[in-house]
Amino acid sequence: MNRRKFLLTPIAGALAVASLSLMQPTATVAQTKIVNVYSARHYGALEKVFAEFTRETGIQVRLSNASTQALLERLRAEGPQTPADVFFVIDVGTLQIAAKEGLLQPIQSDVLKTVIPAELRDPEGRWYALSLRYRTLMYNPAKVKPEELSTYEALADRKWRGRLCMRPATHIYTVSLVASMIANNGEQQTERVLRGWVANRPTFIDSDTRILETIAAGKCDVGITNHYYLGNKLKSDPNFPVKLFWANQADRGVQVNFSGAGVTANAPNRENAIRLLEWLATRGQDPGVAGLPGGNSEYPANPSVQPAEVLKGFGTFKADLASLPQYGPLQAQAIKLLERVGYK
Amino acid sequence: MGRVAIDSWGRPAFNAGSLAAALPALLVLLPLIGLALTWLRLDGEIWSHLWSTLLPEMLLNTVLLMLGVGATTLAIGASLAWLVTTYAFPGARLLEWLLVLPIAIPGYILGYVAMSLFDYAGPFQTQLRAWFGPDLELPEFRSLPGAIFVLSLTLYPYVYLLARAAFRDQSAMQRDAARAAGLGNRVIFWRVALPLARPSLAAGVALVLMETLTDFAVVRYFNVVTLSEGVVRLWVVQMDRDAAVQLASLLMLIALGVVLAERRLRSHARYYQLGSQSRPIAPIRLHGWRAVAALVGPLALLFVAFGLPVAQLVQWAIAEVTSAEPGTLDAVFGQYLFNTLTLSLGAALIVVAVALAMAYAVRPRGSRAEAQAGTRFLARLATLGYAMPGAVVALGVLLLLAPLNETVLGWTGGAVLLSASAFGLMYAYLVRFLAIGFSGVEASLEKVTPNMEMAARSLGAAPARVLTRIHLPLVRTGVLAALLLVFVDTLKELPVTMFLRPFGMETLSVWTYMLASESAWQAAALPALTIVLASVGPALLLIHLSRAGAHSGEGTYL
């Protein structure tokens, strides 16, 4: 009897610990006004924005960070029982997929309808853009003249052999850029371009910041990164030796994507979630609220807000808004294509 | 009295206790069995697609990485161990301890620090270009050799610790005989010491290979597409869970191969080490430049593997703390630290509790041989969990709990087993680390001989008293060590935590990795440094434990 007790004691102890940790989240839910956010945005900046939101509204924001794709997988796995209220990612394609699969719910908000332009939100109200990002060409002015640059497609030219820095296929930025190319040029033409890129043996670097630094150091002459990485670099070092080139201005315009959010289908704190989205689309766009989007040098989704100062140097440009609705539907195709051509 | 079939309580040796012991092993095996079962519904299309795209490269890279890291850690670990056990020189004693330190830096941390220092844009190459001109061509650091470099620097201590214990245990008589036969030290090393240490070296390299198989972060930094990275890629990037599961089961096969190969090599241990109990080997004193070289060489290695990265982390952490706006960092850091400690402590308690129950049930008593056979078998099964890459374990647990989750949802109408709670995470930690907990606990329980128990019982002590007066005092150190080891391994663990952590439960390891993968190096420094510092103490404990010569036990961590 006693011996069995000895065997059982540690197991019982373990179960007690396990059940304690089981109970913990539910206990917190009951006590405070909160909103749970699944976020794929970078660390650091977002916490400050949410702290401001909490200060102004008294609603606590609980963050769970992961990559865009990992969050979607998680939302799928959890189904209707997800604890998440807000799905906040950095890729419109993923928002479209989540909406299509019924993971997001339509919300009716006059505020959001007024401040977010129609092409930057779901017609059924399931997701909304909050800050815009443009993925474009970056170059070392000591080695490349801007006249030599034109389009993403032109980087397949042999003259760029050994001179490119690219983000690997594992990142959603690469995937949606390729999706936008398929939307405009079709799969065959895109495959030719990608094969050209790969044949140029780019240096794959899984960080836009490091791509810029590697261009500055002289290893790559041209790279593709989101515009705000350069914006942020220039804020800390105005003489940072890399320049931005807006791609495809003679045709469709530079590729656009956004960080945006939607309310999950069975959000436990639906009202708080809507309130957060409305706040992020209005007060949260304020350059004074560091982080989103101004603090991160992104362009505000709300057109009545002035972009950050550093962005003035980038000038005006044309963006490819027309292919935005295709990112979600073309995502799987883009991934398969990247794999097929041997893009890392 | 039948000696064979009767245990110390006078009951048959095979009883409910043995079954209870089998239960934890089964817990570890269930998710792995689930993965293995996916072979039953093999999807030809997935495999032909994989085969025509990434699979050949993944296989090749995985094999090359294992060969590279295995060979490098063997060379570094064995030669350092030989140096500190065979020679005496100023600083040797200190060096012996210091050489373990790099084990405290997980690959995903050393990887990003090394990347920031040594890639093209880093200060090292920038300085070289300043000296030798901008056209200086150096090999690409973001490559397979780069990954081998980083993984070897963090993993060589496994080989070093085991080799050191083995060399130390070797008999002086054998070496004296060799010396009398006119053999030089170099020949003795190759012809006598190394063959004798083979089982320990094999065990060390096997640990290294398992860790290498588990890594997905370093290879991602260095653009090396491996099977482990492939599982993560298929699962979360391509969102093809079926393909991920099937690839994971392939990875499991390789891990199994490593375990079996190591067992084969190790099974000769007893044969080789028979009759090795004798006086210790007297170290050979080194003088002059030899003594200097013996100290400076390893110190240079330590500088690259530990000193430099830690110094860099400290510098970044100071810059971050002094520049960050007050409040944000503090609030987040405190919360994440708390989460990390809670999870690690929970995991340590659960793993060691289960390990204790298992070890207690299968401990030698009655027929020693029979119980030992059972122990060995169970330990072997439990070891499998440690050999499985974290992403594979996470997938297996997910596979197992997903249907259960649905059922439980029906009962409770709320609590989500998988993601709103630490349940799935704790289970995955148990699968992954039971082997570590078990080996620590088992080794200490073996010190309690059946005779002690029987003596106490025959003097009229109740079982509870036997437990508190005999067992607990004797196993306390082993249990504490096991707790500490599991605690630190959980603290450092990345893939399992990343995929199964409960909602809102950020940990230092995940935080570090995410910041580092975005090159937010300065911001990643404080959590990284915390992980490293928390691991230093236990790393030193490892060398202390290995001093006790605990290297030959079956399934023993060291």
Side-chain angles (χ1 to χ4, degrees):
Chain A
M1 223 32 213
N2 272 302
R3 184 157 153 264
R4 189 165 303 154
K5 205 159 133 198
F6 179 70
L7 275 178
L8 288 179
T9 314
I11 296 175
L15 285 177
V17 172
S19 46
L20 266 179
S21 43
L22 256 167
M23 268 144 49
Q24 195 206 355
T26 8
T28 333
V29 170
Q31 282 160 5
T32 36
K33 274 171 71 181
I34 59 158
V35 55
N36 293 323
V37 180
Y38 273 8
S39 167
R41 282 190 59 108
H42 310 303
Y43 284 166
L46 204 56
E47 279 90 343
K48 288 182 207 161
V49 183
F50 287 157
E52 181 67 18
F53 171 73
T54 303
R55 214 177 51 77
E56 290 180 18
T57 63
I59 300 170
Q60 288 261 322
V61 181
R62 295 207 306 155
L63 259 182
S64 197
N65 299 290
S67 77
T68 294
Q69 297 107 319
L71 289 181
L72 179 62
E73 252 311 79
R74 188 157 196 173
L75 214 52
R76 281 173 174 157
E78 290 163 352
Q81 269 71 36
T82 183
D85 299 301
V86 173
F87 183 60
F88 194 174
V89 294
I90 51 177
D91 173 62
V92 60
T94 311
L95 286 168
Q96 290 159 348
I97 292 172
K100 188 167 167 247
E101 291 180 12
L103 300 169
L104 302 178
Q105 60 173 291
I107 53 172
Q108 301 307 322
S109 156
D110 291 337
V111 176
L112 289 171
K113 247 184 213 160
T114 316
V115 300
I116 305 294
E119 65 270 28
L120 297 178
R121 54 183 157 87
D122 177 38
E124 293 173 47
R126 292 167 298 185
W127 49 259
Y128 300 85
L130 292 166
S131 64
L132 302 174
R133 326 135 141 240
Y134 301 92
R135 196 152 185 83
T136 192
L137 310 184
M138 301 286 174
Y139 65 98
N140 183 334
K143 299 196 177 179
V144 177
K145 289 194 201 64
E147 302 86 77
E148 294 177 77
L149 299 169
S150 57
T151 62
Y152 307 107
E153 290 82 357
L155 294 185
D157 191 293
R158 286 183 72 120
K159 76 170 173 180
W160 299 112
R161 186 149 298 180
R163 299 171 69 189
L164 301 175
C165 271
M166 302 280 206
R167 191 110 184 198
T170 44
H171 204 276
I172 193 74
Y173 293 163
T174 309
V175 175
S176 44
L177 175 62
V178 171
S180 84
M181 288 166 71
I182 298 175
N184 282 288
N185 308 328
E187 177 162 344
Q188 275 193 332
Q189 172 63 18
T190 307
E191 177 163 351
R192 262 200 297 280
V193 171
L194 291 186
R195 287 197 187 278
W197 287 3
V198 172
N200 282 338
R201 310 188 72 78
T203 303
F204 291 103
I205 299 179
D206 200 7
S207 152
D208 277 15
T209 305
R210 201 56 167 177
I211 289 178
L212 292 174
E213 286 163 358
T214 307
I215 295 173
K219 170 148 182 148
C220 303
D221 299 342
V222 177
I224 300 180
T225 75
N226 286 358
H227 79 274
Y228 53 85
Y229 288 99
L230 183 61
N232 290 342
K233 273 278 168 207
L234 290 172
K235 269 195 290 192
S236 54
D237 173 14
N239 298 315
F240 187 73
V242 173
K243 287 211 177 312
L244 173 149
F245 182 90
W246 293 115
N248 295 67
Q249 292 303 294
D251 47 62
R252 61 182 186 266
V254 66
Q255 190 229 343
V256 54
N257 207 334
F258 54 75
S259 83
V263 177
T264 62
N266 295 296
N269 307 288
R270 183 170 179 274
E271 294 313 311
N272 294 348
I274 295 175
R275 209 152 155 213
L276 175 64
L277 256 55
E278 289 178 345
W279 186 88
L280 287 171
T282 51
R283 173 89 174 90
Q285 303 274 303
D286 197 327
V289 180
L292 179 87
N296 195 35
S297 310
E298 291 169 64
Y299 288 88
N302 180 344
S304 63
V305 178
Q306 278 296 310
E309 196 63 27
V310 68
L311 297 176
K312 289 198 176 130
F314 292 166
T316 55
F317 56 92
K318 177 165 117 190
D320 175 24
L321 283 165
S323 66
L324 264 181
Q326 297 301 313
Y327 292 7
L330 289 174
Q331 200 177 86
Q333 201 181 336
I335 291 169
K336 285 256 150 53
L337 187 56
L338 282 161
E339 249 178 65
R340 200 159 65 226
V341 302
Y343 188 105
K344 281 263 160 76
Chain B
M1 218 189 210
R3 276 180 26 229
V4 173
I6 306 294
D7 76 358
S8 53
W9 276 281
R11 284 182 302 199
F14 276 113
N15 55 16
S18 308
L19 286 178
L23 215 61
L26 193 67
L27 274 180
V28 166
L29 281 180
L30 267 181
L32 307 181
I33 292 171
L35 285 174
L37 284 181
T38 61
W39 287 93
L40 293 178
R41 47 178 182 82
L42 202 62
D43 188 332
E45 205 178 315
I46 289 176
W47 282 94
S48 72
H49 174 75
L50 274 177
W51 185 251
S52 65
T53 53
L54 288 170
L55 192 57
E57 193 185 353
M58 285 175 185
L59 281 171
L60 182 68
N61 280 341
T62 305
V63 170
L64 290 177
L65 191 72
M66 287 170 77
L67 284 176
V69 177
T72 313
T73 52
L74 182 62
I76 298 178
S79 50
L80 290 178
W82 177 252
L83 183 76
V84 298
T85 53
T86 311
Y87 299 100
F89 49 93
R93 292 287 292 174
L94 184 64
L95 195 63
E96 198 175 352
W97 289 78
L98 289 178
L99 283 170
V100 188
L101 284 180
I103 210 175
I105 308 189
Y108 60 88
I109 291 178
L110 185 68
Y112 94 77
V113 181
M115 188 63 81
S116 79
L117 292 172
F118 297 125
D119 83 345
Y120 190 89
F124 180 73
Q125 292 205 33
T126 303
Q127 187 58 53
L128 286 181
R129 283 194 302 276
W131 285 337
F132 302 107
D135 295 328
L136 180 75
E137 284 280 339
L138 287 174
E140 174 62 57
F141 189 60
R142 238 179 216 84
S143 60
L144 182 71
I148 291 174
F149 172 79
V150 163
L151 285 172
S152 298
L153 285 186
T154 64
L155 296 177
Y156 83 80
Y158 287 104
V159 180
Y160 165 74
L161 279 167
L162 287 167
R164 183 177 142 280
F167 289 147
R168 187 166 297 249
D169 283 357
Q170 284 172 6
S171 142
M173 265 154 56
Q174 286 160 322
R175 287 200 200 164
D176 287 347
R179 233 165 249 143
L183 299 181
N185 251 326
R186 194 167 301 173
V187 182
I188 291 176
F189 173 71
W190 287 107
R191 304 275 290 276
V192 181
L194 215 52
L196 281 173
R198 199 181 77 184
S200 297
L201 295 176
V205 172
L207 280 173
V208 166
L209 293 184
M210 286 170 197
E211 293 288 337
T212 305
L213 268 182
T214 291
D215 170 74
F216 83 96
V218 173
V219 289
R220 176 76 53 93
Y221 297 150
F222 284 83
N223 290 332
V224 184
V225 183
T226 62
L227 284 172
S228 191
E229 197 266 355
V231 170
V232 179
R233 183 185 284 250
L234 288 172
W235 181 13
V236 293
V237 179
Q238 284 157 236
M239 296 185 270
D240 191 342
R241 201 190 297 176
D242 286 347
V245 169
Q246 305 221 327
L247 197 63
S249 56
L250 183 66
L251 193 54
M252 200 167 78
L253 268 186
I254 295 187
L256 207 61
V258 172
V259 174
L260 291 178
E262 190 263 336
R263 300 284 159 193
R264 266 190 85 86
L265 283 169
R266 205 199 267 197
S267 64
H268 300 286
R270 281 164 198 84
Y271 170 73
Y272 277 117
Q273 293 188 343
L274 269 183
S276 66
Q277 302 295 323
S278 71
R279 69 195 154 82
I281 300 162
I284 301 166
R285 187 151 285 284
L286 293 179
H287 299 284
W289 68 269
R290 286 172 194 275
V292 173
L295 185 63
V296 170
L299 280 182
L301 178 88
L302 268 176
F303 176 71
V304 178
F306 191 81
L308 193 62
V310 168
Q312 177 66 83
L313 285 174
V314 168
Q315 192 207 324
W316 277 331
I318 290 173
E320 176 74 8
V321 170
T322 49
S323 79
E325 286 167 35
T328 334
L329 179 81
D330 294 353
V332 177
F333 181 74
Q335 182 59 50
Y336 294 177
L337 181 64
F338 176 78
N339 292 345
T340 307
L341 296 178
T342 314
L343 285 179
S344 305
L345 188 67
L349 288 175
I350 291 173
V351 169
V352 172
V354 174
L356 205 55
M358 184 160 95
Y360 195 78
V362 300
R363 80 196 187 287
R365 60 176 186 272
S367 158
R368 210 182 150 77
E370 204 171 304
Q372 285 243 329
T375 309
R376 261 207 301 282
F377 179 67
L378 288 165
R380 194 170 302 174
L381 293 186
T383 312
L384 284 180
Y386 184 66
M388 293 308 140
V392 174
V393 170
L395 256 176
V397 166
L398 201 70
L399 216 61
L400 186 74
L401 289 188
L404 196 66
N405 198 27
E406 298 289 311
T407 320
V408 172
L409 286 175
W411 300 337
T412 63
V416 183
L417 267 183
L418 279 176
S419 59
S421 78
F423 187 87
L425 186 62
M426 286 298 159
Y427 184 31
Y429 285 148
L430 178 68
V431 171
R432 187 110 170 70
F433 296 133
L434 181 61
I436 293 170
F438 181 71
S439 58
V441 170
E442 187 207 22
S444 62
L445 258 183
E446 269 178 358
K447 286 187 294 194
V448 189
T449 66
N451 293 347
M452 291 187 196
E453 247 182 73
M454 267 192 282
R457 294 281 283 141
S458 64
L459 289 171
R465 197 170 158 77
V466 177
L467 173 65
T468 52
R469 299 301 295 274
I470 308 267
H471 282 124
L472 285 185
L474 278 167
V475 302
R476 200 173 48 205
T477 321
V479 169
L480 275 178
L483 276 172
L484 199 54
L485 287 178
V486 177
F487 179 82
V488 171
D489 268 331
T490 312
L491 187 108
K492 293 196 290 187
E493 210 285 336
L494 183 62
V496 165
T497 316
M498 190 138 132
F499 296 125
L500 296 176
R501 77 209 132 105
F503 181 82
M505 261 251 180
E506 291 305 343
T507 70
L508 294 181
S509 60
V510 176
W511 193 31
T512 301
Y513 172 70
M514 290 199 151
L515 287 169
S517 60
E518 275 293 334
S519 300
W521 291 325
Q522 190 169 303
L526 190 61
L529 203 57
T530 311
I531 292 171
V532 173
L533 292 181
S535 312
V536 163
L540 295 179
L541 177 80
L542 282 182
I543 202 167
H544 179 71
L545 290 178
S546 80
R547 185 154 287 178
H551 69 289
S552 53
E554 196 68 46
T556 297
Y557 186 51
L558 279 181

